[in-house]
Amino acid sequence: MEMPVTGMLNEDGIHVDMNHLKKGEPWNLNVPSILSRPSTSLSLISAPFSSMAITFADGVILGADSRTTTGAYIANRVTDKLTRVSDTIWCCRSGSAADTQAVADVVSYYLGMYATMEGEQPSVGVAAGLFQEVCYSNKEQLSAGIIIAGHHPSHGGSVYSIPLGGSLHRQSYAIGGSGSTYIYGYCDSYWKENMSEADGISFVKGALREAIKWDGSSGGVIRMVVLTDKGARRLLFLPDQAYEGPGEM
């Protein structure tokens, strides 16, 4: 049975073949694609993990654990789930590793085109809109939850969340992944608007430590990205040091 063409990003006829992307095959944005998923899933490796992003006084902070699973098997203990999509915008990925990597690749490509054509860095809202368009247009074929965060000179720090299904939500902070169900109370209790950078790092680290403690699908190291008008700064916290260091990467 032939399926209709789906995955359109806008009205100029551009389509993205998600299956080719997930298999690492070359793709052509100008060729319509049929996004049918075969009976054998292409997305066996998943990242049911803990991730979050927050706004603070000077920008945003993203954080995530590093465990990736294939069923009950831990495929990777030190996965980097924080993905750069432009100079000032990063995302946290949850769901199918193949799906989320493919979506991030598509959005990064278009944001690069935007920066070249407009002569300026895209806003976080532009990036979030692209993520939503891809996720919503292919919601029947994708298992992808995305948190987008970034800093823009005109708008400051912004955080957007796209859960399964492709809806878009702007929030002061966003949590996602299987471990997020264990830390809603923690975040409600300790969240404060306009925290300092040090307090924001402590808040994210504390929340992810609780998620790793209680969620069997979360684990490994805690990675963070701090985005301000000075650029991106990466942090790493290790379990054998009680997540107190080493800090700077």
Side-chain angles (χ1 to χ4, degrees):
M1 176 179 176
E2 184 176 352
M3 295 181 63
V5 173
T6 61
M8 183 178 292
L9 289 177
N10 48 43
E11 296 179 355
D12 62 2
I14 294 175
H15 294 72
V16 178
D17 190 332
M18 302 302 297
N19 285 337
H20 281 189
L21 279 173
K22 288 183 280 187
K23 291 186 292 185
E25 298 176 357
W27 52 285
N28 187 339
L29 289 173
N30 295 317
V31 177
S33 63
I34 298 177
L35 301 180
S36 58
R37 186 181 291 274
S39 58
T40 301
S41 173
L42 295 170
S43 309
L44 297 177
I45 299 177
S46 63
F49 65 103
S50 305
S51 68
M52 62 188 305
I54 70 168
T55 57
F56 71 101
D58 300 319
V60 296
I61 301 172
L62 302 89
D65 76 317
S66 63
R67 178 174 292 179
T68 297
T69 61
T70 304
Y73 176 72
I74 299 175
N76 193 337
R77 296 180 297 169
V78 289
T79 307
D80 188 358
K81 302 172 185 176
L82 304 179
T83 302
R84 174 188 174 276
V85 292
S86 79
D87 289 344
T88 59
I89 304 169
W90 289 59
C91 71
C92 306
R93 300 178 291 108
S94 64
S96 161
D99 289 357
T100 55
Q101 287 170 3
V103 171
D105 285 345
V106 171
V107 173
S108 179
Y109 173 84
Y110 275 98
L111 293 180
M113 288 182 58
Y114 179 97
T116 301
M117 296 174 64
E118 300 296 329
E120 63 179 13
Q121 289 298 319
S123 68
V124 187
V126 169
L130 279 172
F131 270 108
Q132 186 206 20
E133 190 68 33
V134 176
C135 291
Y136 183 78
S137 298
N138 300 284
K139 60 182 180 293
E140 301 298 330
Q141 287 78 36
L142 296 177
S143 175
I146 309 287
I147 296 175
I148 307 101
H151 183 275
H152 191 273
S154 302
H155 308 110
S158 303
V159 171
Y160 292 84
S161 174
I162 302 176
L164 293 176
S167 59
L168 179 64
H169 311 271
R170 182 172 182 176
Q171 301 169 275
S172 296
Y173 72 89
I175 56 178
S178 59
S180 66
T181 57
Y182 299 93
I183 59 174
Y184 279 99
Y186 180 97
C187 292
D188 285 343
S189 296
Y190 292 100
W191 168 253
K192 296 178 182 178
E193 295 284 350
N194 296 317
M195 286 188 284
S196 66
E197 180 177 324
D199 288 343
I201 291 173
S202 178
F203 173 78
V204 172
K205 182 167 60 174
L208 292 176
R209 285 182 64 177
E210 289 298 310
I212 289 171
K213 176 181 177 181
W214 296 108
D215 178 34
S217 295
S218 301
V221 305
I222 293 176
R223 301 181 190 274
M224 293 188 202
V225 174
V226 181
L227 288 169
T228 65
D229 56 2
K230 298 178 182 178
R233 185 163 63 94
R234 303 213 63 178
L235 305 174
L236 175 70
F237 301 96
L238 306 178
D240 58 352
Q241 298 180 14
Y243 296 108
E244 295 300 328
E248 295 280 352
M249 291 180 65

Short mmCIF file of all heavy atoms in Angstrom, two decimals, residues 51-56 59-63 88-92 123-125 127-129 146-152 155-162 168-176 191 193 204 225 227:
data_model
loop_
_atom_site.label_atom_id
_atom_site.label_comp_id
_atom_site.label_asym_id
_atom_site.label_seq_id
_atom_site.Cartn_x
_atom_site.Cartn_y
_atom_site.Cartn_z
N SER A 51 16.86 14.43 31.31
CA SER A 51 17.44 15.64 30.74
C SER A 51 16.64 16.84 31.20
O SER A 51 15.48 16.71 31.57
CB SER A 51 17.46 15.59 29.21
OG SER A 51 16.14 15.64 28.71
N MET A 52 17.27 18.00 31.15
CA MET A 52 16.57 19.22 31.54
C MET A 52 17.31 20.43 31.01
O MET A 52 18.48 20.35 30.62
CB MET A 52 16.44 19.31 33.06
CG MET A 52 17.72 19.37 33.83
SD MET A 52 17.47 19.24 35.62
CE MET A 52 16.32 20.57 35.95
N ALA A 53 16.62 21.54 30.97
CA ALA A 53 17.22 22.82 30.61
C ALA A 53 16.52 23.89 31.42
O ALA A 53 15.31 23.81 31.66
CB ALA A 53 17.07 23.09 29.11
N ILE A 54 17.28 24.88 31.84
CA ILE A 54 16.71 25.96 32.65
C ILE A 54 17.21 27.30 32.13
O ILE A 54 18.26 27.40 31.50
CB ILE A 54 17.09 25.82 34.14
CG1 ILE A 54 18.59 26.10 34.35
CG2 ILE A 54 16.73 24.43 34.67
CD1 ILE A 54 18.98 26.27 35.81
N THR A 55 16.44 28.33 32.41
CA THR A 55 16.91 29.70 32.21
C THR A 55 17.48 30.20 33.53
O THR A 55 17.02 29.81 34.60
CB THR A 55 15.77 30.63 31.77
OG1 THR A 55 14.73 30.59 32.75
CG2 THR A 55 15.21 30.20 30.41
N PHE A 56 18.51 31.03 33.45
CA PHE A 56 19.02 31.71 34.64
C PHE A 56 19.32 33.15 34.27
O PHE A 56 19.03 33.59 33.16
CB PHE A 56 20.22 30.97 35.24
CG PHE A 56 21.50 31.06 34.43
CD1 PHE A 56 22.50 31.95 34.80
CD2 PHE A 56 21.69 30.26 33.32
CE1 PHE A 56 23.68 32.04 34.08
CE2 PHE A 56 22.87 30.35 32.58
CZ PHE A 56 23.87 31.24 32.97
N GLY A 59 21.60 33.46 31.02
CA GLY A 59 21.48 32.58 29.86
C GLY A 59 20.69 31.33 30.18
O GLY A 59 19.67 31.38 30.86
N VAL A 60 21.19 30.19 29.70
CA VAL A 60 20.51 28.90 29.92
C VAL A 60 21.55 27.84 30.28
O VAL A 60 22.73 27.97 29.96
CB VAL A 60 19.72 28.45 28.67
CG1 VAL A 60 18.60 29.41 28.34
CG2 VAL A 60 20.65 28.27 27.47
N ILE A 61 21.07 26.80 30.93
CA ILE A 61 21.89 25.64 31.27
C ILE A 61 21.14 24.39 30.83
O ILE A 61 19.96 24.22 31.14
CB ILE A 61 22.19 25.55 32.78
CG1 ILE A 61 22.91 26.81 33.26
CG2 ILE A 61 23.02 24.31 33.10
CD1 ILE A 61 23.07 26.88 34.78
N LEU A 62 21.81 23.52 30.09
CA LEU A 62 21.26 22.23 29.70
C LEU A 62 22.03 21.14 30.45
O LEU A 62 23.25 21.26 30.65
CB LEU A 62 21.37 21.97 28.20
CG LEU A 62 20.71 22.95 27.23
CD1 LEU A 62 21.67 24.07 26.86
CD2 LEU A 62 20.26 22.22 25.96
N GLY A 63 21.34 20.06 30.81
CA GLY A 63 21.99 18.96 31.49
C GLY A 63 21.34 17.64 31.15
O GLY A 63 20.15 17.57 30.84
N THR A 88 24.72 29.21 19.12
CA THR A 88 24.10 29.69 20.36
C THR A 88 22.93 28.84 20.82
O THR A 88 22.25 29.19 21.77
CB THR A 88 23.62 31.14 20.16
OG1 THR A 88 22.68 31.18 19.07
CG2 THR A 88 24.78 32.07 19.85
N ILE A 89 22.67 27.72 20.14
CA ILE A 89 21.51 26.88 20.45
C ILE A 89 21.93 25.42 20.55
O ILE A 89 22.61 24.90 19.66
CB ILE A 89 20.41 27.04 19.38
CG1 ILE A 89 20.02 28.50 19.23
CG2 ILE A 89 19.20 26.19 19.73
CD1 ILE A 89 19.14 28.78 18.03
N TRP A 90 21.51 24.77 21.63
CA TRP A 90 21.77 23.34 21.84
C TRP A 90 20.44 22.66 22.14
O TRP A 90 19.44 23.33 22.42
CB TRP A 90 22.73 23.12 23.00
CG TRP A 90 24.15 23.54 22.71
CD1 TRP A 90 24.59 24.79 22.36
CD2 TRP A 90 25.31 22.71 22.76
NE1 TRP A 90 25.94 24.79 22.19
CE2 TRP A 90 26.43 23.52 22.44
CE3 TRP A 90 25.53 21.37 23.06
CZ2 TRP A 90 27.73 23.03 22.40
CZ3 TRP A 90 26.83 20.88 23.03
CH2 TRP A 90 27.91 21.70 22.69
N CYS A 91 20.44 21.33 22.07
CA CYS A 91 19.23 20.58 22.42
C CYS A 91 19.58 19.34 23.22
O CYS A 91 20.69 18.81 23.14
CB CYS A 91 18.44 20.20 21.16
SG CYS A 91 19.21 18.93 20.13
N CYS A 92 18.59 18.88 24.03
CA CYS A 92 18.66 17.60 24.72
C CYS A 92 17.75 16.64 23.97
O CYS A 92 16.63 17.00 23.62
CB CYS A 92 18.17 17.72 26.16
SG CYS A 92 18.97 18.97 27.17
N SER A 123 17.25 32.90 16.12
CA SER A 123 16.78 32.93 17.50
C SER A 123 16.41 31.52 17.94
O SER A 123 16.24 30.61 17.12
CB SER A 123 15.57 33.86 17.62
OG SER A 123 14.47 33.30 16.92
N VAL A 124 16.25 31.35 19.24
CA VAL A 124 15.86 30.05 19.76
C VAL A 124 14.46 29.69 19.27
O VAL A 124 14.16 28.52 19.01
CB VAL A 124 15.92 30.04 21.30
CG1 VAL A 124 15.67 28.64 21.84
CG2 VAL A 124 17.27 30.55 21.78
N GLY A 125 13.59 30.69 19.13
CA GLY A 125 12.25 30.44 18.63
C GLY A 125 12.23 29.88 17.22
O GLY A 125 11.42 29.02 16.89
N ALA A 127 14.64 28.07 15.85
CA ALA A 127 15.10 26.68 15.96
C ALA A 127 13.99 25.79 16.51
O ALA A 127 13.76 24.68 16.01
CB ALA A 127 16.33 26.61 16.86
N ALA A 128 13.29 26.26 17.54
CA ALA A 128 12.21 25.47 18.12
C ALA A 128 11.09 25.22 17.11
O ALA A 128 10.52 24.12 17.05
CB ALA A 128 11.66 26.18 19.35
N GLY A 129 10.78 26.23 16.29
CA GLY A 129 9.77 26.06 15.27
C GLY A 129 10.15 25.01 14.24
O GLY A 129 9.31 24.23 13.80
N ILE A 146 12.29 16.44 22.45
CA ILE A 146 13.41 17.39 22.32
C ILE A 146 13.22 18.55 23.28
O ILE A 146 12.11 19.07 23.43
CB ILE A 146 13.51 17.95 20.88
CG1 ILE A 146 13.52 16.81 19.85
CG2 ILE A 146 14.74 18.82 20.74
CD1 ILE A 146 14.79 16.03 19.77
N ILE A 147 14.30 18.95 23.94
CA ILE A 147 14.33 20.20 24.70
C ILE A 147 15.34 21.11 24.01
O ILE A 147 16.49 20.72 23.81
CB ILE A 147 14.72 19.96 26.17
CG1 ILE A 147 13.67 19.11 26.88
CG2 ILE A 147 14.89 21.30 26.89
CD1 ILE A 147 14.05 18.73 28.30
N ILE A 148 14.89 22.29 23.61
CA ILE A 148 15.76 23.25 22.91
C ILE A 148 16.04 24.43 23.83
O ILE A 148 15.12 24.96 24.45
CB ILE A 148 15.09 23.75 21.62
CG1 ILE A 148 14.64 22.58 20.74
CG2 ILE A 148 16.04 24.66 20.84
CD1 ILE A 148 13.17 22.29 20.83
N ALA A 149 17.29 24.82 23.92
CA ALA A 149 17.66 25.96 24.76
C ALA A 149 18.79 26.73 24.10
O ALA A 149 19.64 26.14 23.42
CB ALA A 149 18.07 25.51 26.16
N GLY A 150 18.78 28.04 24.28
CA GLY A 150 19.83 28.86 23.68
C GLY A 150 19.80 30.28 24.19
O GLY A 150 18.90 30.67 24.95
N HIS A 151 20.79 31.03 23.74
CA HIS A 151 20.90 32.44 24.15
C HIS A 151 21.00 33.30 22.90
O HIS A 151 21.73 32.98 21.96
CB HIS A 151 22.14 32.65 25.03
CG HIS A 151 22.28 34.05 25.54
ND1 HIS A 151 22.88 35.05 24.80
CD2 HIS A 151 21.89 34.61 26.71
CE1 HIS A 151 22.86 36.17 25.50
NE2 HIS A 151 22.28 35.94 26.65
N HIS A 152 20.22 34.38 22.87
CA HIS A 152 20.23 35.32 21.75
C HIS A 152 20.49 36.72 22.29
O HIS A 152 19.92 37.09 23.32
CB HIS A 152 18.90 35.27 21.00
CG HIS A 152 18.92 35.98 19.69
ND1 HIS A 152 18.65 37.34 19.58
CD2 HIS A 152 19.17 35.54 18.43
CE1 HIS A 152 18.74 37.69 18.31
NE2 HIS A 152 19.05 36.62 17.59
N HIS A 155 17.10 38.50 22.78
CA HIS A 155 16.03 37.88 23.56
C HIS A 155 16.52 37.23 24.84
O HIS A 155 15.69 36.76 25.64
CB HIS A 155 15.30 36.85 22.70
CG HIS A 155 14.84 37.37 21.38
ND1 HIS A 155 15.40 36.97 20.19
CD2 HIS A 155 13.88 38.26 21.05
CE1 HIS A 155 14.81 37.60 19.19
NE2 HIS A 155 13.88 38.39 19.69
N GLY A 156 17.82 37.14 25.05
CA GLY A 156 18.34 36.47 26.22
C GLY A 156 18.19 34.96 26.12
O GLY A 156 18.12 34.40 25.02
N GLY A 157 18.10 34.30 27.28
CA GLY A 157 17.98 32.85 27.29
C GLY A 157 16.54 32.39 27.13
O GLY A 157 15.62 33.00 27.66
N SER A 158 16.35 31.30 26.38
CA SER A 158 15.01 30.74 26.15
C SER A 158 15.07 29.23 26.19
O SER A 158 16.07 28.63 25.75
CB SER A 158 14.44 31.18 24.80
OG SER A 158 14.40 32.59 24.68
N VAL A 159 14.00 28.61 26.69
CA VAL A 159 13.90 27.15 26.75
C VAL A 159 12.56 26.74 26.14
O VAL A 159 11.51 27.31 26.50
CB VAL A 159 14.01 26.62 28.19
CG1 VAL A 159 13.67 25.14 28.26
CG2 VAL A 159 15.40 26.87 28.75
N TYR A 160 12.59 25.77 25.23
CA TYR A 160 11.38 25.22 24.62
C TYR A 160 11.40 23.70 24.78
O TYR A 160 12.47 23.08 24.71
CB TYR A 160 11.30 25.55 23.13
CG TYR A 160 11.08 27.02 22.82
CD1 TYR A 160 12.15 27.90 22.77
CD2 TYR A 160 9.81 27.51 22.55
CE1 TYR A 160 11.97 29.25 22.48
CE2 TYR A 160 9.60 28.85 22.25
CZ TYR A 160 10.69 29.71 22.21
OH TYR A 160 10.50 31.04 21.91
N SER A 161 10.21 23.13 24.94
CA SER A 161 10.08 21.68 25.07
C SER A 161 9.15 21.15 24.01
O SER A 161 8.08 21.72 23.75
CB SER A 161 9.54 21.33 26.46
OG SER A 161 9.28 19.94 26.57
N ILE A 162 9.55 20.03 23.36
CA ILE A 162 8.72 19.33 22.39
C ILE A 162 8.59 17.88 22.84
O ILE A 162 9.49 17.08 22.64
CB ILE A 162 9.31 19.39 20.97
CG1 ILE A 162 9.50 20.84 20.52
CG2 ILE A 162 8.42 18.64 19.98
CD1 ILE A 162 10.18 20.98 19.18
N LEU A 168 4.61 22.22 21.03
CA LEU A 168 5.72 23.11 21.39
C LEU A 168 5.33 23.95 22.58
O LEU A 168 4.26 24.57 22.61
CB LEU A 168 6.07 24.01 20.20
CG LEU A 168 7.21 25.01 20.40
CD1 LEU A 168 8.52 24.30 20.66
CD2 LEU A 168 7.33 25.92 19.18
N HIS A 169 6.22 24.02 23.59
CA HIS A 169 5.93 24.74 24.82
C HIS A 169 7.17 25.54 25.24
O HIS A 169 8.25 24.97 25.37
CB HIS A 169 5.56 23.77 25.95
CG HIS A 169 4.54 22.76 25.55
ND1 HIS A 169 3.18 22.99 25.68
CD2 HIS A 169 4.67 21.52 25.00
CE1 HIS A 169 2.52 21.93 25.24
NE2 HIS A 169 3.40 21.02 24.83
N ARG A 170 6.97 26.84 25.48
CA ARG A 170 8.05 27.65 26.03
C ARG A 170 7.92 27.66 27.55
O ARG A 170 6.84 27.91 28.09
CB ARG A 170 8.01 29.08 25.49
CG ARG A 170 9.17 29.92 26.01
CD ARG A 170 9.25 31.27 25.35
NE ARG A 170 10.41 32.01 25.86
CZ ARG A 170 10.79 33.20 25.40
NH1 ARG A 170 10.12 33.78 24.42
NH2 ARG A 170 11.84 33.79 25.92
N GLN A 171 9.04 27.40 28.24
CA GLN A 171 9.01 27.27 29.68
C GLN A 171 10.24 27.91 30.32
O GLN A 171 11.26 28.09 29.65
CB GLN A 171 8.96 25.78 30.07
CG GLN A 171 7.77 25.03 29.52
CD GLN A 171 7.88 23.53 29.69
OE1 GLN A 171 8.48 22.84 28.87
NE2 GLN A 171 7.31 23.02 30.77
N SER A 172 10.14 28.22 31.60
CA SER A 172 11.31 28.71 32.33
C SER A 172 12.31 27.59 32.53
O SER A 172 13.53 27.80 32.51
CB SER A 172 10.90 29.29 33.69
OG SER A 172 10.08 30.42 33.53
N TYR A 173 11.80 26.39 32.76
CA TYR A 173 12.65 25.21 32.77
C TYR A 173 11.85 24.04 32.23
O TYR A 173 10.62 24.03 32.28
CB TYR A 173 13.19 24.90 34.17
CG TYR A 173 12.18 24.36 35.16
CD1 TYR A 173 11.95 22.98 35.26
CD2 TYR A 173 11.46 25.20 35.99
CE1 TYR A 173 11.02 22.48 36.16
CE2 TYR A 173 10.54 24.71 36.90
CZ TYR A 173 10.33 23.34 36.98
OH TYR A 173 9.41 22.84 37.87
N ALA A 174 12.55 23.06 31.68
CA ALA A 174 11.89 21.89 31.10
C ALA A 174 12.65 20.65 31.51
O ALA A 174 13.89 20.65 31.56
CB ALA A 174 11.85 22.00 29.57
N ILE A 175 11.91 19.58 31.81
CA ILE A 175 12.53 18.30 32.13
C ILE A 175 11.93 17.25 31.22
O ILE A 175 10.78 17.35 30.79
CB ILE A 175 12.34 17.91 33.61
CG1 ILE A 175 10.86 17.88 33.99
CG2 ILE A 175 13.09 18.89 34.51
CD1 ILE A 175 10.62 17.47 35.43
N GLY A 176 12.72 16.22 30.90
CA GLY A 176 12.24 15.20 29.98
C GLY A 176 12.93 13.87 30.22
O GLY A 176 13.89 13.77 30.99
N TRP A 191 13.08 25.29 42.48
CA TRP A 191 13.20 26.21 41.35
C TRP A 191 13.00 27.65 41.79
O TRP A 191 12.11 27.98 42.57
CB TRP A 191 12.18 25.87 40.27
CG TRP A 191 12.06 26.96 39.23
CD1 TRP A 191 11.04 27.83 39.05
CD2 TRP A 191 13.04 27.30 38.25
NE1 TRP A 191 11.31 28.69 38.02
CE2 TRP A 191 12.53 28.39 37.50
CE3 TRP A 191 14.30 26.79 37.93
CZ2 TRP A 191 13.23 28.97 36.45
CZ3 TRP A 191 15.00 27.36 36.88
CH2 TRP A 191 14.47 28.44 36.16
N GLU A 193 13.26 31.74 39.88
CA GLU A 193 13.52 32.54 38.69
C GLU A 193 14.81 33.36 38.87
O GLU A 193 15.15 33.76 39.98
CB GLU A 193 12.35 33.50 38.42
CG GLU A 193 11.04 32.80 38.07
CD GLU A 193 11.02 32.28 36.65
OE1 GLU A 193 11.95 32.61 35.87
OE2 GLU A 193 10.07 31.55 36.31
N VAL A 204 20.46 22.05 38.55
CA VAL A 204 20.43 21.02 37.50
C VAL A 204 21.12 19.75 37.98
O VAL A 204 20.61 18.63 37.80
CB VAL A 204 21.09 21.55 36.21
CG1 VAL A 204 21.25 20.43 35.18
CG2 VAL A 204 20.27 22.69 35.62
N VAL A 225 25.81 22.02 29.60
CA VAL A 225 26.27 23.11 28.74
C VAL A 225 25.68 24.40 29.29
O VAL A 225 24.47 24.50 29.51
CB VAL A 225 25.82 22.92 27.27
CG1 VAL A 225 26.20 24.14 26.44
CG2 VAL A 225 26.45 21.67 26.68
N LEU A 227 25.14 28.25 28.40
CA LEU A 227 25.12 29.17 27.25
C LEU A 227 24.82 30.58 27.73
O LEU A 227 23.78 30.84 28.33
CB LEU A 227 24.06 28.74 26.24
CG LEU A 227 24.33 27.48 25.42
CD1 LEU A 227 23.08 27.07 24.67
CD2 LEU A 227 25.48 27.70 24.46
#
